[in-house]
Amino acid sequence: MTITALSLGALLAAAAMETPPAPAAGPSGPLQQKLAPALARYTDDVLFGTVWPSPGLSPRDRSLIVISALIATNKPAQLTGHLNRALANGVTPVEASGVLTHLAFYAGWPNAVSALEVYDRVYTDRKIDVAALQAKVGRLADDDGFGRSAEAALAPTAPKFARLSEEVVFGDLWRRSDLSARDRALVTIAALTAMGEADQLAPYLRRGREAGLKPAEVTEAITHLAFYAGWPRATEALGSVARTLEAKP
Amino acid sequence: MTITALSLGALLAAAAMETPPAPAAGPSGPLQQKLAPALARYTDDVLFGTVWPSPGLSPRDRSLIVISALIATNKPAQLTGHLNRALANGVTPVEASGVLTHLAFYAGWPNAVSALEVYDRVYTDRKIDVAALQAKVGRLADDDGFGRSAEAALAPTAPKFARLSEEVVFGDLWRRSDLSARDRALVTIAALTAMGEADQLAPYLRRGREAGLKPAEVTEAITHLAFYAGWPRATEALGSVARTLEAKP
Amino acid sequence: MTITALSLGALLAAAAMETPPAPAAGPSGPLQQKLAPALARYTDDVLFGTVWPSPGLSPRDRSLIVISALIATNKPAQLTGHLNRALANGVTPVEASGVLTHLAFYAGWPNAVSALEVYDRVYTDRKIDVAALQAKVGRLADDDGFGRSAEAALAPTAPKFARLSEEVVFGDLWRRSDLSARDRALVTIAALTAMGEADQLAPYLRRGREAGLKPAEVTEAITHLAFYAGWPRATEALGSVARTLEAKP
């Protein structure tokens, strides 16, 4: 379902003028319908009616970026439902655990640790075989120089930080094969967007493109994240995307 | 009560040198008095003794911006008391629910959903008639072009985001009459300040001024929010206000 | 233990290729080992194996910045363990309470209030004599003009905010002797880094240096905080440090 020029605006305008329908079982749930019926309408008609089913990005990728944003902004309460949805949408447990490990570095250990308890409950409820998470993880080829410009530029000021970035983040974390380079870039873009770190997106936008992430997928992902991290964060991130695309030789 | 040139500094300086008084029932509460008596003093003398009663902004507006900041920064624990205070200070349940819906877009769905449980408890405790929340909401006249420059500029890069901004956020959400345009601007300014999105304040400052929000009210609101979102966020937001006022033709 | 050129990268590379060892009792804990073994490895080998024991900053100072970052980003769940660690590492209860009061201003009252319940539990568990927290606090000499440029520049736009900054924050809070000026600067730098307010670091970097905080300690602190607030926040903060050092006459 895509947004056509008239449909969404007309639908909303009509809905606003009419007596709301009796509360029904929808993604919005009874509390939204009782306390904020307009919010329920936006949830059902726009977010779940239009954005989630939109063909510009797979449900699996939408789930990947939503769990990334929820972990990066410390929303364990909402993560429960969305981690379940992610696993149902095709994110594997190995990938989901890879997201957690990745975001410990990008959003800080405390956010990852908070999410860990949600993972435990969801994996237990879904009877996921956690032994598979202990399997050996392969290593991707190193991608020389990727994304390291900012950190390398800091070497004179902060040599240990530059070393940790080089050896641990780029030399080890990014070379793990539990997430593809394309997914790792997408997860990072989602986290930076949600954290309000749009100024640091550029190297990851480039890394994603090299690894097969299409520009249209990136803008669709950030559009989706407007609903999970707020319009201002998406506006900033898309501004950064626009500048990066223009700067492309 | 306003701050006079000598009173506050002299009061604090004197207090710091003397034996603290026995803990008393104040807004600070027993935990602050026991574990951080200086914090209790700032809470009682400065925040509740000077800032809240200051005449530059009505108690109702102060409550409106505080619940906005608490929702936008995901502080459900503190929202309970402040939502009660807001309703006591004259924010209507329809307006409070309007804030929630508005901030789903500006601060993301998860923050609104977290706040929803607080709303349910507070509305239930206060025996608020939630049927009134289901009433039809009118539509304000469209204000051509307001605040859409940033989003419209993104149309070549992110056409769907520009469409959602135009049709849903500006064409629908901002035209709802559950919040006045003046209040909606104030709520947005509070949320952007608290989220650290000072760079995006300009169109909302202009929109607020057009809708009757006085510049002195805006600076008073951001000064108040320094206590709820931290000094650095207020400093940034006031810097943005200063630049926007200067840029005024 | 410092990072040598080969050890850490080689260790991690080797570990990634081998069957992981049986879960052992380490700082990572059983959940990380079960659900995200790579995260457990980074926790044990890098964060607690290399960063925490590194000689560039004392364990006491590392604890001081970690509790500051956790309070400033509202992580009460993780604060429990780290406040215990801080007290064990030599942060005194008076200092820890001073951090809380200080961060009410820098990160907002709600974050301080959330932390207060953690403090109460930890102080009670450790049988800390809270009567000592009620003792008179001395006053440091005023440091004319420090850090007030941003706030003073806002006086024409926001005179009350400039007054509160001058009289309460710089004229009172910063002159309290429960935290040394050096520690107060370090706590502020940690909070600004964790909050993503790198643009506001400069006056506090200067104030810290005047009070004896070495540039190498600052970069070591921010490197440590990369693990608690995320790589992007540390990258931004170190960029600000580099610019401030360059701007030094």
Side-chain angles (χ1 to χ4, degrees):
Chain A
M1 193 178 339
T2 55
I3 306 177
T4 60
L6 285 171
S7 67
L8 189 59
L11 178 76
L12 290 166
M17 303 303 291
E18 314 228 333
T19 308
S28 57
L31 272 192
Q32 285 188 31
Q33 292 164 17
K34 180 172 84 168
L35 299 173
L39 177 58
R41 189 164 51 80
Y42 291 127
T43 300
D44 293 340
D45 294 353
V46 183
L47 178 52
F48 285 94
T50 303
V51 175
W52 271 93
S54 185
L57 197 66
S58 71
R60 182 260 185 200
D61 286 348
R62 291 182 190 275
S63 274
L64 196 66
I65 59 172
V66 169
I67 63 170
S68 298
L70 293 173
I71 295 170
T73 58
N74 198 31
K75 302 278 160 48
Q78 281 78 29
L79 182 60
T80 304
H82 280 289
L83 179 57
N84 269 304
R85 186 188 304 269
L87 295 166
N89 279 343
V91 175
T92 69
V94 166
E95 289 169 337
S97 290
V99 169
L100 195 69
T101 300
H102 189 80
L103 294 180
F105 284 94
Y106 278 84
W109 248 247
N111 287 340
V113 169
S114 291
L116 202 62
E117 295 178 20
V118 175
Y119 271 59
D120 192 38
R121 274 201 309 278
V122 170
Y123 282 17
T124 302
D125 288 351
R126 297 180 78 92
K127 302 193 198 319
I128 285 173
D129 175 18
V130 294
L133 301 175
Q134 305 291 334
K136 274 192 253 186
V137 166
R139 284 170 77 74
L140 307 175
D142 195 7
D143 179 62
D144 286 335
F146 140 63
R148 303 175 189 181
S149 54
E151 286 80 1
L154 292 170
T157 304
K160 184 187 288 184
F161 181 75
R163 287 275 304 282
L164 286 164
S165 300
E166 177 68 23
E167 294 183 14
V168 182
V169 179
F170 296 111
D172 194 76
L173 178 72
W174 275 86
R175 295 187 60 190
R176 292 176 53 80
S177 66
D178 49 353
L179 282 179
S180 71
R182 182 258 190 203
D183 285 352
R184 207 172 278 282
L186 184 58
V187 164
T188 309
I189 291 164
L192 292 173
T193 297
M195 293 168 73
E197 294 284 351
D199 286 350
Q200 297 198 34
L201 278 172
Y204 302 102
L205 295 170
R206 284 193 289 269
R207 183 68 187 98
R209 191 161 49 198
E210 289 163 11
L213 188 62
K214 293 172 200 152
E217 289 176 317
V218 171
T219 55
E220 187 75 22
I222 298 173
T223 300
H224 192 113
L225 289 175
F227 291 84
Y228 288 89
W231 234 252
R233 302 281 202 235
T235 302
E236 277 198 341
L238 289 169
S240 182
V241 169
R243 285 190 300 278
T244 305
L245 291 178
E246 281 166 17
K248 190 186 168 186
Chain B
M1 192 181 335
T2 55
I3 306 177
T4 60
L6 286 171
S7 67
L8 190 58
L11 177 75
L12 290 166
M17 302 304 291
E18 314 229 332
T19 308
S28 58
L31 271 193
Q32 285 187 32
Q33 292 163 18
K34 180 171 84 170
L35 300 173
L39 178 59
R41 188 164 52 81
Y42 291 126
T43 300
D44 293 340
D45 294 353
V46 183
L47 179 51
F48 285 94
T50 302
V51 175
W52 271 94
S54 185
L57 197 67
S58 71
R60 182 260 185 200
D61 286 347
R62 291 181 190 276
S63 274
L64 196 66
I65 59 172
V66 169
I67 63 169
S68 299
L70 293 174
I71 295 169
T73 58
N74 197 33
K75 303 277 160 50
Q78 281 80 28
L79 182 59
T80 304
H82 280 288
L83 180 57
N84 268 304
R85 186 188 304 268
L87 295 166
N89 279 343
V91 175
T92 69
V94 166
E95 289 169 336
S97 290
V99 169
L100 195 68
T101 300
H102 189 79
L103 293 181
F105 284 95
Y106 279 85
W109 249 247
N111 287 340
V113 169
S114 291
L116 202 61
E117 295 178 21
V118 175
Y119 271 60
D120 192 38
R121 275 201 309 278
V122 170
Y123 282 16
T124 302
D125 287 350
R126 297 179 78 91
K127 301 192 197 321
I128 284 172
D129 175 18
V130 295
L133 301 175
Q134 304 291 334
K136 274 192 253 188
V137 166
R139 283 170 76 74
L140 307 175
D142 195 8
D143 178 61
D144 286 334
F146 140 62
R148 301 177 191 180
S149 54
E151 286 79 1
L154 292 171
T157 304
K160 184 187 288 184
F161 181 75
R163 286 274 307 281
L164 286 164
S165 301
E166 177 69 23
E167 294 183 15
V168 183
V169 178
F170 296 111
D172 194 75
L173 178 72
W174 274 86
R175 296 187 59 189
R176 293 175 53 80
S177 66
D178 48 353
L179 282 179
S180 70
R182 181 258 190 205
D183 285 351
R184 207 173 279 282
L186 184 59
V187 164
T188 310
I189 291 165
L192 292 173
T193 297
M195 294 169 71
E197 294 283 352
D199 286 350
Q200 298 197 35
L201 278 171
Y204 302 101
L205 295 171
R206 284 192 288 269
R207 184 69 188 98
R209 191 161 48 198
E210 290 162 12
L213 188 63
K214 293 171 200 153
E217 289 175 317
V218 171
T219 55
E220 187 76 22
I222 298 174
T223 299
H224 192 113
L225 290 175
F227 292 84
Y228 289 89
W231 234 252
R233 303 280 202 234
T235 302
E236 277 197 340
L238 289 169
S240 182
V241 168
R243 286 189 299 277
T244 304
L245 291 178
E246 281 166 18
K248 190 186 169 186
Chain C
M1 195 179 337
T2 56
I3 306 177
T4 60
L6 285 171
S7 66
L8 189 59
L11 177 76
L12 290 166
M17 302 305 290
E18 314 229 331
T19 308
S28 58
L31 272 193
Q32 285 188 32
Q33 291 164 17
K34 179 171 85 168
L35 300 173
L39 178 58
R41 189 164 51 83
Y42 291 127
T43 301
D44 294 340
D45 294 354
V46 182
L47 178 52
F48 285 93
T50 303
V51 175
W52 272 93
S54 184
L57 197 67
S58 71
R60 183 261 184 198
D61 285 348
R62 292 182 189 275
S63 274
L64 195 67
I65 60 172
V66 169
I67 64 170
S68 299
L70 293 173
I71 294 169
T73 58
N74 197 32
K75 303 276 161 48
Q78 281 79 28
L79 183 59
T80 305
H82 280 288
L83 180 57
N84 269 304
R85 186 187 304 269
L87 295 166
N89 279 342
V91 175
T92 68
V94 167
E95 289 169 337
S97 290
V99 170
L100 195 69
T101 300
H102 189 80
L103 293 181
F105 284 95
Y106 279 85
W109 248 247
N111 287 340
V113 169
S114 291
L116 203 61
E117 295 177 20
V118 175
Y119 272 59
D120 192 38
R121 273 201 310 278
V122 170
Y123 283 16
T124 302
D125 287 350
R126 297 178 77 92
K127 302 193 197 320
I128 285 173
D129 175 18
V130 294
L133 301 175
Q134 305 291 333
K136 274 191 252 186
V137 165
R139 284 170 76 73
L140 307 175
D142 195 7
D143 179 62
D144 287 335
F146 140 62
R148 302 175 190 179
S149 54
E151 286 79 1
L154 292 171
T157 305
K160 184 187 289 185
F161 181 75
R163 285 277 305 282
L164 286 165
S165 301
E166 177 68 23
E167 295 184 14
V168 183
V169 178
F170 296 111
D172 194 75
L173 178 72
W174 274 86
R175 296 187 59 190
R176 292 175 54 79
S177 66
D178 48 354
L179 281 179
S180 70
R182 182 257 190 203
D183 285 351
R184 207 172 278 284
L186 184 60
V187 164
T188 309
I189 290 165
L192 293 173
T193 297
M195 295 169 71
E197 294 284 350
D199 286 349
Q200 298 197 35
L201 278 172
Y204 302 102
L205 295 171
R206 284 191 289 269
R207 183 69 187 97
R209 191 162 48 198
E210 290 161 12
L213 188 63
K214 293 173 199 149
E217 289 175 317
V218 171
T219 55
E220 186 76 21
I222 298 174
T223 299
H224 192 114
L225 290 174
F227 292 84
Y228 288 89
W231 234 251
R233 303 281 202 234
T235 302
E236 277 198 340
L238 288 170
S240 181
V241 168
R243 286 190 299 278
T244 304
L245 290 178
E246 281 165 18
K248 189 186 168 187

